[in-house]
Every structure is written in structure tokens, then in C-alpha cells.
Amino acid sequence: MAQTKSGKIYKSSLAKRNMLKFASNKLALVGLFIILFFTLCAIFAPLFTSYDPSYVDPKVRLLPMSSEHLLGTDNAGRDTFTRLLYGGRISIAVGLSAALGAALIGCTLGSIAGYYGGRFDSFIIYVGEIFTTFPQIMLVLILVGLSGRSLANLILIFCFTGWMGTARLVRSRVLSLKTEPFVESCVANGISGFSIMFKHILPNTLGPVIVSITMQTAGFVLAEAALSFLGMGVPTAIPTWGNVINAASSFHIFQNYPNLWMAPGIVISLFVLGVNFFGDGLRDVFDATE
Amino acid sequence: MLKYFFRRLLSFIPKILIITILIFIGLEFVPGDPISYLIPPEQMAFMTEETIANMRENLGLNDPAYIRYFKWLGNILKGDMGYSLINGVKISDIIWTRLPATIELTALGFAVATILGLLFGFISALKRNTPIDYSLTALGMVGVSIPEFFFGLSAIVVFGLTFRWLPPGGRMTPGQPGFFQRIPYLVMPVLVIGISYTATLMRYTRGSMLDTMNKDYVKAARSKGLSETRVNLVHSFRNAIIPVMIIIVNRIPILIAGTVVIESVFNYPGMGKLILESISGSDMPVVMIATFFIALAVLIASFLVDLLSALLDPRIRFGKM
Amino acid sequence: MKKLVTVLFLCSVLLIPNLFAGGAAEAGAVKAAEDFSETGTLNVLWYAAGGTSGSFECVYRDYQSQVPDLLYDTLIKLDMEDTSKIVPRMADRWEVSADGLVYTFYIRENLNWTDGKPVTADDVVFSLEAQLRGYGIQNERGSFQFIKGAQEYFDKTANSISGVKAEGKKLTITLTQPYGFMMRTLATFVPYPRHLFPADVDYTKFGSYDYWKAPVHCGPYVLESVTFPDYCVLVRNDSWYGPRPGIKRVTGISFDAGGTDAAVAAMIAGRLDLAHSNAFNDVNIASNVVKQNPDYAYNAFFSPYYRLFTTNLTGSADGKWNKFMANADFRKAINLAIDKEAFASYFPGQAVALSTAVNPGDPLYDKSIPLFKRDVEAAKALLKKAGYDGSPIRIAYYYNDQMHNDLMDLTVQNLAEIGIPAESRVVIQDIYAAIYEQKNWDICYAGANQLSGVENYGVVNPGTIYDVYLGNEAVREELFGKYLKEVSATSDPARLKELAILLQQNSLNYGSPIPVISMNKMMIYNDAKWDFDPAWLKASDLAIYRTCDLRLETWKLNKK
């Protein structure tokens, strides 16, 4: 049930109620707006700029901000504004696809562990515990060293090292849902375990999973930037936010051309902030429906 | 209680073994030929291929993997951790000069972040829906959203180079190795490393506090006429802290991971920086041992915090688990 | 009970750092009370893993900092203003036979190691052996191949180097052929005390001996204290035979390979007075330090260092090698297409676009060869002449910094402009296998650093690793090999010049290697704090490689 401003009370679907609840959270709306803004800017990058994000022109390197180059040019003479726009494409895609991949692994393992329990459960928990013993960035560093710097590798590595949280979450939800009457009726009706698990139980865990995907997206965008900073991220020829900020990785550039790192720094921070606000709003919504 | 303690302690051993195997397997596949780092490329012009084959044989780089694993493990148990492939220095020597620096950094970062996180979360919950709560929450959000290296570099430029209040990097001034003399060097890295940890803890503490404050026993305590401070501190906060402890434990690896970035930014000679240098130098023995120690540190730290939360949890304290 | 435990736990968390701090402090604590005021000490860069690895490094490994230069001595040094003049150091006199094959050195009678034991010729022999069989210390190994019996000793077919004899303080070295750079090589070669290593020393683990934790040496300074991984303190060696150094105390502050920016920050903050290494070999870094902190100044030393694209003429492991690489016209087209001036523009005042491997400022440069000018049309014409079909080439490089990433993007773009599709890839992990075994690349951006400009052609010398991808052996021998042999043997400047010109022209015709830029070497120092003989600033980069006498007696700290 929800109450509109006019005071009229009407019945609504769960989704509608959730939507309204979300809309009443101003920070979450701001977050959504930020996410949409950056995503659209990235997708329609060619509309906002006429430069090629990867054309090197040493004659115009390190130009200050001007009407021609809104954020100046980097040490290779590329337009920083353009690179930020195009960089968003890869950074957001890396963050989101890695989070989705990690959630996929996490959901699968978590629901199997939670539903079947027993040895398989303890095995997955154990593996998860071992994984969490290694700080993620160290695993990533080692694996990047192992497989080299490439976009696909980075996404796979993020998936591979980021599933534990979701798995834990899904497992505990499945454990509690397993005892619910609707599951018992499914079992009584002879529906296969696999089907119960993925068709009946898993959809009920999606709320928290979506929240965790959101939060992980933010985490992976930050991780991509940090890895680029350490020289272990996406190959430098591909513009990403991390690589754009890395254009100022030498100290003399960092000190003398703040436009080169402040702009990408602010963009990354803002985007992550937006995702976090959004995620928080989602969390509130899903928490209440539990 | 004691039983709980020993059970936790025992579960360590297989974990440590698995960790060693994992580290070894992972690093076995790194496509780095360490020999290339024995010779600077600029000097390579004067070397023959035969010379290099000889060197490789001498260093035992041609044995099968499992033999090297058992050799390696056996040696570690004996305290002999092998030699750096880059400069032939004993790895144990390297670790012992680096580990204290990292423990110091993370322990201080942990202590500062935990205290600040719990404190801010507590305040935020008590003053919920007031400007204080909103600004703390917003600050926390900003804290988890800004990349750590960005924070660190900005801090160096502002406090280290523009105002020159704090040293821009390193661990100590020559001739002044005492802990208190080193504090200026620790201020920036400790604060930066703790930022996202503080923000996360704050958020969870706030949530947990709000949960607990609505619980019946808290209401009951308040209705008994106990003082507000006592209700908040003894009844709400102490119980609210138990779920937060889990977050504290879970986030320890993230805190330690932060050292890789922070130590690089502040030229702080610790394990994180060592691992990064060694990976880019293809110095796999050092990477293996350093990662092993990091994982061990995570295990021990989790164990300690786990123990502490067990002490706070009456079910465990009174031997029911 | 629980409160007690909680308090204890928290206390232990807070106390752990203190415990460790005490441990780390031990080594230096005794001296901490002494005068470490700004004016009393020169803070120099202690680079590479030297300080950070918990042990001093074999001197070669740490060649980029001044610390080993101050601690260790060599048999002789060169005069920094005229490098043909030899300055006596550990050896106070020497003789060279008329045929240039036998060198005899007499080590100073009263010269002792810092532990009081006398320095003998046997120590030098020991160190030569370590150079040949050890690893990580092979700086001069290439040059020592001319010592009689060196190859046999290295191959382990002999138990000693037959060409080296020690009798007390007298050392005799016999060569297989005259070698013009012998004295220069010995000026960088550092002897170690044999008596501090076990009798059955394992050279492959040379760096792991406890000796390196507090090395004994015989140079102008002695090690007073060291706190790994942070700093070391050197004071004047009172028993040194030479003129007394002007500065009482020198502190080495350690930075590792990734610590360039941190060292730059330390300089801007006035905490590091002298940086003089490859990591700072960038005029942009130097000028920024001076801009941010006007107390500092920098100097670019003339250097025979250059950067080049080596060419793969023989094929790759994955079979994707571009067969046009074997065509000289194709290689010359690449040479003309690359915007070397743009490369040089990244290092204003430091780098020059090159036509040959020899710096145009070097007297050995062939003046008949015009300075490099990019020529797209000529490059296209050469491609046509080569019958090029548009197949792609692959570029490898191993400077993993943003600037080089940018420069390689530029190269790819340059090649695309003449119609060669190219891709570039940084070789992070395995330089050796990538460059010399798999060779999954067609051109490779590298740096070469030799004793003189003409020796840059050593990279095409048969018998070295580079030759595996230089194509036809007979051609190579004809174009380079025979001249290079003469280069290393001759000491006649006129003949050297003739040979240099031949080599430069041959390489130009051969289209390999492709030189890009020469780079002078940078030194950044605290001009307001440190005074030294200005002659040093006119010397070439040889001073960096501990070849020259640094005239420590002229160093002094300003009373500012």
C-alpha cells in the first residue's frame, strides 16, 4: 500500500510500491541520475566530441584547458575530454560485466551449496574462505602477471576473485527459504531439485543480489583504476578511466597539469558515488520487502 | 571457550597448507623467465645464449614443478625461504625487513579506522536523521568512492610538497628510527589506508545500532529508567557491535590489500610494495613467500578479531558453541 | 575477565608496532643522538634493491647510486676531464707490455680493508672469478672475455683463470688479443675481500652471503650504520690513502625500482640532495624538481646511450613474423617513417633524433651522413621498391611507463601513415624469452649503453645474443663483425674514426638496427647545499658508471 501526496490510497503491485519507495529516496535518485548521465555520455561519445580518443599528436601535447580542448590534452596530444567520454564505455562495461559474471558464479555456487548442503556446501564454504584469505588485489596482480594485460583477462579475473560475497549471501538466503512452505509443496509435487533451486528459490534472492551487483560494479571500477595506476590494468592503448588518470602518472605531470588527473579522478569518484547511492537506495527497498 | 579457541586454531593448519599449494601453483604458471631479470637488457648485448642456459641450470630452474614445491615447502619449514632471483639475497632477510613495516601500517590503520568507524557509526545512529548523521553518511560515501591512490597523491602534493608539513614519503628520517620520530611519516598512509575501512564500518555500525535500538530489551532497559548513556553504550552498542565484528573480519583482507597501492604511493617499504616490485621483476620466489605471509597475516588477524568477538558474544563465552 | 582480555587485546594491537619499531631501530639507534642536522650530511639516493632488500647489493646491481662508489675502490680510475689519463687508486703503479697483451698492477703496500686485513692481488683474482661465474654481477664480463682462460673458467672446463696471476701485491693479467677498453673496464671493476667469503664460495649465491649485510671495503668512506630497508650512513674513512673527502657524512636514502616519483617528491621536499641514475634520466623530471624547489639544479651529461628499434630478420616462434623484415628497403622505409623528432621532443635539450647509432655530438659521428629527417614519401617509395603487400608488423618494447606507451602508439600511427599496419605490445614479464627466444615481434624498442658510441654496434657483433636475429651470418660478419673486432683491439684514434664511419655507413645501408634517439644522462642535485668541482659537470656520463675519479676532496656542504 502506498500513499500519494493527495492522500489517496490505492492498491499497488510490489514492483510499483518498490519503485515509489525508491523514488522517495532522494540520494538514490541522484545516484541513478549520475549513472544514467555517465552511461549516456559514454554511449553517445561521438556526439559530444570530434576528436579521435587515440590519435597521438606530439605537436599539441600538454595543452591547457581551452574551448578547443575542454580539459586540455595529455602527454601524447590526445584530447582528455574525448578520452574521458570514450573511457567511460570500457570502464563501465568492465565494472558491470565483471560484477554480473561474479554474481553468476556466486549465485550458482551459493544456491547449490545452500540447497544441497552437506559436503558440497562445506566444500564451497571452504573454498570461499581460502579465497578470501588472499586480498583480492594481490590475486588480481598475480593473475594479471600470469595471463598478461588484456581487457578480457581483467574481466575474467575480477569474476574469478569476486564471487565469494554473493555466494555467501545467496547460500544463507537459500538456507532460510528452503524451509518455506512453497518449497516443500514444490518438493511434494515432484519438481526436480534443480528446477526448485533456480526457478523457485533463486528469484526470491535476487533483491540482495542486485544490490551486491551494484556495489561490486563500483568496486570494480575503482579496482580497474587502481590496477592501471600500478601499471597492471587494461592495456594502455584502450582508453579507460584508469588509463586516462594514468596519463598523469609521472610526478611532473601530476604536479603541473592537474587537469589531467583531477578530471578523471572526479569522474571516477562521482560515478562510484552515484552507484553507491543507487545501491543504498536499492538496499533500503529490498530490505523492507524481506 | 577454550574448546572454541582450539577448534579455530586447528582449522588453521589445512588452510595454510592449501594456501601454500595455491600460491605455488598459481605462480608456476606465470610466464616469466626469471633469467631475464638477472641481466639488464642493456647488458645482454654482450652475452651468449650458452651463458644464459648455464645460469638457468645453476639456479635449478629446470626441475619439475612438484619437486620444486616440496623442496620449497620443506625449506620454509626449516626457515630457509630461498633466495631472491634478482639479487640473490635471502628472502627471509627481505621479509624480516619488510613485514614489520606493513604490520605497523595496517595495525595502526586498522586501529584508527575501527575506532573512527565505530565512533562515527555510533554518533550517526544516535543522531539519526539530523544534519550530523547526513553529513557523516555523505562523508562515508565519498570515502568509499574516491580511489585510494588519488587520495594519497593529493595528500602528498598538499601536505608534503605545498605546505611541507609532513614528509612526502618513506618511513623515517635517517638517524631517527624511533617510533615517535616516525609518526609524521605514518600520518598520511595510515589515514589514507583507513578511509574506506572507516566508511564501511561506520555504515554497518549505524545500521546495526539502529536495529538494536529498536529491540525490546533496549526499550525495556530504557523503561527501567537507566540513564540514556548507559542504555546506549552498554545495551545497544555492545550488542550492535557483534554483527559489525563479522564485517571487521571480512574486511581485513581489503585493508591489507590497500597496502599494495598505499605503500607504492608513499614509498613505504613494506610487503605490498615488495610484492608489486617482485611481480614486475618476475621474482617469483619472493612473490610466493610474500603472498604466503600476507595470507598468514590475514588468517591470524581474522583469528584475533574472531576471538575478540567470541568474547563479546555470550553464547560462545559461556561455552554453548 | 572479558574486559581484561579486551583491554589486553587492544593494547597488543597498539603495541605491536612499537615492538617492531624497536627491532628496526636497533642498528642505527646508537648513532641517533649524533649530529644529523641538515648541514652535516649529504643525502644521496641509494637506489634499486640495494637498501630495500635487507642487504647491500653486489656493486654492479647497485650501479645507479653513489653509495657503492663511496664505499668501494677500484684498481685505477680515469680522469674526468680527460678520460685517456689514468688516476692511480688501489694500484699505485702499473705496466702494460708493448704488444698490449700483459697488464701488471702493483697494489699499494699499506692498503687495508676496513677490517684491517691487507688488500692483496689475490682478492682481485677472487673478484674476477666471481664476475665470471657469479650472476647479477656480470657488469664487466663481456670485456673480460679477452682475458686468457676466462672462457674456459666460465665454461667450468678450468678451475682458475689461466691469464691472471697474483703474487702478494702484484697482479698480472694476460689477454688473448689487445683490447682498447681494458683500462676503462678495470676502472669500473670492484674487488671484494676473499677472506670474508667461505673457501668453497658458491658464486651463484654470491648475493646471499652475510658479507653483504655489512660489507667490508676499502674506499674513501666507511659504513657507519645501516637500517634496512630505509637508509645507510657513511663517514670518511680515516685510513684511506687518498685526499680527505670534503664531506664528513653521507646518508644513502633507499628507493626501489618503482620509487622514482617518491624520490622526486623527496627532492622537492629537500630531503634528498643527489639523484643520479637511469630512473631520473628524463629532463622533464629534472626540470620539474628545479621548478618546484629552486635550491636544486640539474645537469645533462653527454652519454653514448641511445635508444633503438632492433630488427628481427630471422622469424618468430609463432610463425607470424613479417617476411619483409628480411628486406633492407623495408627496414629503411620503417626507419624513415618513424617520427624520431617527436621522440626527441619528449626530452627537450636531452635527446637528439639519430641517423646512426652514434650521437652527432660524438667525434666519431660520420659527418657525411645528414641528420635525421622524417620522409614519408621516400618511405613509401622504398616500400614500393620492396614490393610490400600490406602485411602487418609487430612492435615490442619494455619501458613500461606512460610516456613509452604513448610513444609506441605514435610509432604505430607513423607506420600506418606509410601503409604498414602495426601493433605494439609491452613486454612486462619475460624480456629474455620474448626478445631472444620466441621473437614474436618484428621490431623491438630498446636501449643500448656502451662504453663508447661506436661500441653501440656491438649489438650486431657475431657471438652475442643480438646476432640471432640479424639474419645472414656471412653478411653480418662482412658488414660489422670484422670491423668490430678491430674496434675493440685498436687504441689508435684515427683508425677508430675510420672504423666508426664504416660501421655507421654499413648499418645505414643494411637498414638495421634502426636508431631512434640519443639521450644524455641526467643528474639532479641540491645546488644550494652541495659544492663540488665544476669540472664534474663537464665530464661525460662515464662518471655515473664509477669510471672516473669523482674528486671527493672538492665536495663540500654550503654553510647556508
Side-chain angles (χ1 to χ4, degrees), chain C residues 156-226:
Chain C
K156 300 192 174 162
T157 54
N159 289 325
S160 60
I161 312 167
S162 57
V164 185
K165 293 234 152 33
E167 300 158 58
K169 295 265 181 184
K170 183 183 166 198
L171 175 78
T172 317
I173 300 175
T174 311
L175 305 185
T176 51
Q177 64 168 78
Y179 180 54
F181 294 112
M182 192 62 196
M183 280 306 208
R184 193 170 278 188
T185 307
L186 288 174
T188 69
F189 164 67
V190 167
Y192 308 115
R194 186 198 279 266
H195 66 274
L196 292 174
F197 291 88
D200 57 342
V201 54
D202 179 355
Y203 292 117
T204 59
K205 295 198 168 87
F206 200 60
S208 68
Y209 288 106
D210 282 345
Y211 168 79
W212 299 106
K213 286 184 186 164
V216 164
H217 39 267
C218 63
Y221 281 81
V222 292
L223 184 64
E224 188 190 54
S225 72
V226 55

Side-chain angles (χ1 to χ4, degrees), chain B residues 88-230:
Chain B
V89 172
K90 280 180 195 147
I91 297 177
S92 48
D93 287 352
I94 304 179
I95 300 281
W96 296 133
T97 58
R98 299 293 194 110
L99 197 59
T102 292
I103 291 181
E104 179 175 296
L105 182 63
T106 39
L108 283 177
F110 176 79
V112 170
T114 310
I115 292 168
L116 289 183
L118 293 180
L119 184 70
F120 289 157
F122 182 66
I123 294 174
S124 203
L126 285 191
K127 311 264 174 196
R128 66 182 172 284
N129 301 334
T130 65
I132 296 179
D133 178 26
Y134 292 143
S135 41
L136 280 177
T137 309
L139 271 181
M141 282 288 192
V142 173
V144 291
S145 304
I146 295 181
E148 281 173 335
F149 67 88
F150 188 76
F151 246 128
L153 285 172
S154 312
I156 290 179
V157 169
V158 175
F159 301 111
L161 301 183
T162 310
F163 295 116
R164 297 194 191 169
W165 290 338
L166 294 167
R171 189 166 173 238
M172 62 181 79
T173 309
Q176 303 178 356
F179 177 70
F180 291 103
Q181 291 163 316
R182 280 187 286 122
I183 286 180
Y185 288 84
L186 283 165
V187 173
M188 285 199 283
V190 162
L191 287 181
V192 173
I193 211 167
I195 279 177
S196 85
Y197 200 72
T198 311
T200 320
L201 277 191
M202 181 176 95
R203 195 152 96 190
Y204 280 100
T205 312
R206 179 180 178 274
S208 179
M209 268 296 281
L210 288 180
D211 269 359
T212 334
M213 281 159 81
N214 289 326
K215 291 265 162 68
D216 290 341
Y217 62 84
V218 176
K219 287 180 186 158
R222 190 170 280 129
S223 65
K224 273 199 297 188
L226 292 177
S227 79
E228 195 61 13
T229 331
R230 192 173 160 80

Side-chain angles (χ1 to χ4, degrees), chain B residues 33 36-38 40-42 44-45 47-48 51-52 83 87-88 93 98 164 175 179 182 185 267 273 277 311, chain C residues 5 18 21 32 52 57 60 138 154 205 208 213 231 255-256 262 271 428-430 432 436 447 463-465:
Chain B
D33 184 346
S36 59
Y37 287 89
L38 305 182
E42 285 159 10
M44 222 178 246
M47 305 202 64
T48 63
T51 314
I52 285 160
Y83 303 92
N87 51 22
D93 287 352
R98 299 293 194 110
R164 297 194 191 169
F179 177 70
R182 280 187 286 122
Y185 288 84
N267 190 45
K273 201 164 176 351
E277 281 161 33
L311 287 173
Chain C
V5 175
N18 281 307
T52 55
E57 299 239 286
Y60 165 69
Q138 68 284 18
F154 177 76
K205 295 198 168 87
S208 68
K213 286 184 186 164
Y231 66 89
F255 292 91
D256 53 45
R271 288 161 181 271
I428 303 179
Q429 284 295 341
D430 192 354
Y432 171 75
Y436 304 106
T464 66
I465 281 180

Side-chain angles (χ1 to χ4, degrees), chain B residues 1 30-56 58-59 82-91 93-101 103-108 110-112 114-115 153 156 160-162 164-182 184-186 238 264-270 273-274 277-284 301 303-308 311-312 317-318, chain C residues 1-2 5-6 9-10 13-14 16-18 20-22 24-26 28-29 31-33 36 43 49-50 52-58 60-61 63 133-139 141-143 145 151 154-156 204-210 213 227-231 233 251-259 262-266 268-271 278 292-293 305 307 398-399 427-433 435-437 446-450 455 458-459 461 463-466 468 521 545:
Chain B
M1 181 65 218
V30 176
D33 184 346
I35 202 87
S36 59
Y37 287 89
L38 305 182
I39 315 156
E42 285 159 10
Q43 299 291 333
M44 222 178 246
F46 285 125
M47 305 202 64
T48 63
E49 271 188 284
E50 213 179 322
T51 314
I52 285 160
N54 271 341
M55 285 186 166
R56 185 176 284 134
N58 283 340
L59 291 169
Y83 303 92
S84 156
L85 287 176
I86 290 191
N87 51 22
V89 172
K90 280 180 195 147
I91 297 177
D93 287 352
I94 304 179
I95 300 281
W96 296 133
T97 58
R98 299 293 194 110
L99 197 59
I103 291 181
E104 179 175 296
L105 182 63
T106 39
L108 283 177
F110 176 79
V112 170
T114 310
I115 292 168
L153 285 172
I156 290 179
L161 301 183
T162 310
R164 297 194 191 169
W165 290 338
L166 294 167
R171 189 166 173 238
M172 62 181 79
T173 309
Q176 303 178 356
F179 177 70
F180 291 103
Q181 291 163 316
R182 280 187 286 122
Y185 288 84
L186 283 165
R238 213 189 68 194
S264 298
V265 171
F266 289 100
N267 190 45
Y268 191 86
K273 201 164 176 351
L274 176 71
E277 281 161 33
S278 308
I279 287 181
S280 46
S282 201
D283 196 350
M284 286 314 150
F303 179 68
L304 286 178
V305 180
D306 204 40
L307 215 61
L308 182 64
L311 287 173
L312 288 174
R317 202 165 62 233
F318 299 119
Chain C
M1 159 65 192
K2 72 187 182 227
V5 175
T6 314
F9 173 78
L10 283 175
V13 167
L14 289 170
I16 285 168
N18 281 307
F20 284 118
E26 243 171 274
K31 302 285 176 186
F36 270 97
N43 298 313
T52 55
S53 66
S55 156
F56 276 77
E57 299 239 286
C58 306
Y60 165 69
R61 294 285 322 169
Y63 70 101
R133 279 207 185 159
Y135 75 93
I137 47 170
Q138 68 284 18
N139 189 22
R141 189 182 280 157
S143 303
Q145 65 184 311
Q151 194 58 45
F154 177 76
D155 295 339
K156 300 192 174 162
T204 59
K205 295 198 168 87
F206 200 60
S208 68
Y209 288 106
D210 282 345
K213 286 184 186 164
T227 302
F228 294 114
D230 300 286
Y231 66 89
V233 183
T251 312
I253 302 179
S254 75
F255 292 91
D256 53 45
V264 169
I268 293 171
R271 288 161 181 271
N278 274 351
Q292 304 286 339
N293 188 339
Y305 178 79
R307 290 194 173 152
Y398 57 67
Y399 298 96
V427 184
I428 303 179
Q429 284 295 341
D430 192 354
I431 293 169
Y432 171 75
I435 297 183
Y436 304 106
E437 282 177 355
N449 197 2
Q450 311 303 343
E455 272 216 333
V459 299
N461 194 2
T464 66
I465 281 180
Y466 279 83
V468 296
K521 294 264 168 109
Y545 292 96

Side-chain angles (χ1 to χ4, degrees), chain A residues 9 13 22 59 61 72 81 130 183 192 208 214 218 233 254 272 279 289:
Chain A
I9 297 175
S13 71
F22 184 82
K59 285 179 203 73
R61 68 199 182 92
F81 179 67
I130 298 278
V183 176
S192 77
T214 320
F254 189 84
V272 173
T289 56

